[in-house]
Amino acid sequence: MAVNLYDRAARRSALDLAERLRHLSDTEKDLIRLANEPGYTRWREQIRATGGCAHPVYLSGHATTADPSTGLVVGHYDTAGEPGGRLAVRCRNRRTSVCAPCSREHSGDTFHLVRAGLLGGKGTPTRVVEHPRLFVTLTAPSFGAVHRAGPERCRPRRDGGECEHGRPGDCGKVHADGDRLIGQPLCRECYDYPAHALWHAHAGELWNRTCRAIRRHLATAAGIGQAALNEHLRVSFAKVVEYQRRGAVHVHAVIRLDGPDGPDTPPPSWADAGLLTDTVRAAAAAVRVPMPYTAALGEYVFRWGEQIDVHPIRAFGDGSAITDEAVAAYVAKYVSKSLGDSGGLDRRVTSAAAIDLAAVSPHLRALMGTCWRLGGLPELAYLRLRAWAHALGYRGHCLTKSRLYSTTYGALRAARSRFRTGGQEDSGVGLVTDSSWRYVGSGHTPGAAEIAAGIAEDLAVLREITRLHASAWGGGPDG
Ligand SMILES: [Zn+2]
Ligand SMILES: [Zn+2]
Ligand SMILES: [Zn+2]
């Protein structure tokens, strides 16, 4: 009898299981499939090595390292031995909204890159701490009154009167931080959208001219010819852009003075932080970029906004707010942000209809629409406003730096890759690596995405523990 009972119980639990399996989500089914694949453990290791990248790229190929003097092969790697014959590598996207783990790594690299230029390290001499260094913020001018964040009452227009479209110039509300009105124009008909879009299209040139003007002003201050300036000093910089709520970019830059041979040499004693501060202020205030006359738009002359912030950077730990570490962390933060995070779009738009349908604020849609419209004018084709409509007309990289500032992203990645592989990927002195790689796919299945996210989370926790441990023992942030 008892046997029968067991049979019945076993049958019921088998039915239960079958029933439960029928109700599994696609992700759960995929997780079970993955865990039963022969190379599962090795595949997990690969994903862990990518830091839990959300959109890994799969490569197939091989690399052989040999010593040409002896002809001996010292290392060989082939994806033939990997699960599915392929190897996962990071997507390396810098945006948090696209891939949080890669964005975090990129942001860490930016921190080290900017920090190295301030404090030395990663190939830059530590003596740069003694060189004049400034943290500079340049803004866009006003293109029309916009709602402003609190704590003060929002009074964008000084006179407070109505505009010609009958809209009040004095909002009078106190906008809390999350208020969607902040940055939106009081009157979209009054707002100068063409000037805003075109200013963005010229912001890169405005920066280039500012750098040249700084050098020119320094030469004048020292009473030497511009051509001879390099015999006395070098100006190095790293800069990032940040989109404000009104959809205009801010430029944040670290500017450093070095001697004639770059960071290894001291700048002349007359070139101190005070002179550099005055020089940057004067150059930023004076620089202009004219846009040639067009029949449709007339003439424009672009300049920076009134708000120009210039602060000397102090060495870490002297008690002031603007320290090396704070600046590096600040700059790194902006690199991981994208226009998408400020309510805009991260991808290019390919039609005016796509702009109409974009899930952005009416203000940003109007800006993108203006870029699209102006981009269709043959005389403005060189500004490529349609290709950069999603970026509100601003073309350019998020982070740019001068050659002598500090190390590069490439060098940081190479160093990390050597560290992770215990030196195997480094050909070493006199060794030659012959490799061949082929793209075979990208992205995760639903189950794989779950696993990768879990790995990324574990690594984030581990990093936090390491950081707390390091700070408790006097280490710097992020090691
Ligand atoms: Zn990634
Ligand atoms: Zn307001
Ligand atoms: Zn108006």
Side-chain angles (χ1 to χ4, degrees), residues 367-393:
L367 262 170
M368 288 179 200
T370 304
C371 289
W372 192 265
R373 189 169 58 78
L374 298 181
L377 301 173
E379 59 267 47
L380 295 181
Y382 69 101
L383 298 174
R384 304 183 58 223
L385 283 163
R386 286 193 169 178
W388 295 95
H390 66 293
L392 313 178

Side-chain angles (χ1 to χ4, degrees), residues 321-373:
I322 300 188
T323 62
D324 315 292
E325 301 278 339
V327 167
Y330 193 68
V331 169
K333 188 182 83 185
Y334 286 119
V335 173
S336 64
K337 281 213 216 159
S338 66
L339 186 52
D341 296 318
S342 328
L345 294 178
D346 285 334
R347 289 195 175 80
R348 290 198 172 181
V349 287
T350 49
S351 67
I355 294 171
D356 290 339
L357 292 172
V360 298
S361 71
H363 176 55
L364 294 194
R365 192 174 306 122
L367 262 170
M368 288 179 200
T370 304
C371 289
W372 192 265
R373 189 169 58 78

Side-chain angles (χ1 to χ4, degrees), residues 39-250:
Y40 175 70
T41 312
R42 174 58 193 151
W43 172 81
R44 260 193 79 101
E45 275 172 27
Q46 282 191 17
I47 298 304
R48 198 183 151 82
T50 69
C53 172
H55 300 281
V57 172
Y58 283 100
L59 300 176
S60 112
H62 62 85
T64 305
T65 303
D67 185 342
S69 61
T70 60
L72 280 178
V73 171
V74 290
H76 180 70
Y77 170 78
D78 198 315
T79 52
E82 298 285 359
R86 56 187 205 165
L87 175 73
V89 298
R90 281 179 173 277
C91 74
R92 283 195 185 143
N93 198 294
R94 69 172 175 82
R95 296 174 185 135
T96 312
S97 54
V98 177
C99 179
C102 289
S103 161
R104 204 179 297 117
E105 179 162 286
H106 186 88
S107 167
D109 281 358
T110 305
F111 175 81
H112 288 299
L113 193 153
V114 174
R115 187 178 188 262
L118 290 169
L119 289 166
K122 320 257 178 206
T124 304
T126 51
R127 61 156 304 117
V128 292
V129 178
E130 288 143 42
H131 295 193
R133 301 160 308 159
L134 302 182
F135 187 56
V136 176
T137 299
L138 301 170
T139 59
S142 169
F143 306 108
V146 298
H147 292 279
R148 291 183 185 163
E152 279 118 64
R153 283 152 71 84
C154 172
R155 292 183 200 283
R157 268 171 54 146
R158 294 257 171 268
D159 57 17
E162 281 186 359
C163 71
E164 57 179 295
H165 310 99
R167 297 196 176 92
D170 182 354
C171 155
K173 295 200 187 80
V174 176
H175 298 295
D177 207 37
D179 194 328
R180 292 165 102 176
L181 266 184
I182 299 168
Q184 301 288 309
L186 262 79
C187 176
R188 279 208 294 284
E189 284 165 280
C190 279
Y191 196 87
D192 195 346
Y193 285 100
H196 186 153
L198 292 169
W199 186 87
H200 269 173
H202 290 84
E205 180 58 18
L206 206 45
W207 170 256
N208 292 341
R209 289 195 187 196
T210 306
C211 291
R212 290 204 293 273
I214 291 170
R215 292 171 43 81
R216 203 166 51 238
H217 286 239
L218 283 171
T220 309
I224 47 180
Q226 261 188 77
L229 191 67
N230 276 356
E231 292 162 26
H232 299 266
L233 58 81
R234 297 294 184 115
V235 185
S236 285
F237 71 86
K239 87 172 213 297
V240 287
V241 299
E242 174 206 2
Y243 282 87
Q244 295 174 277
R245 302 235 235 178
R246 61 175 168 137
V249 296
H250 262 179

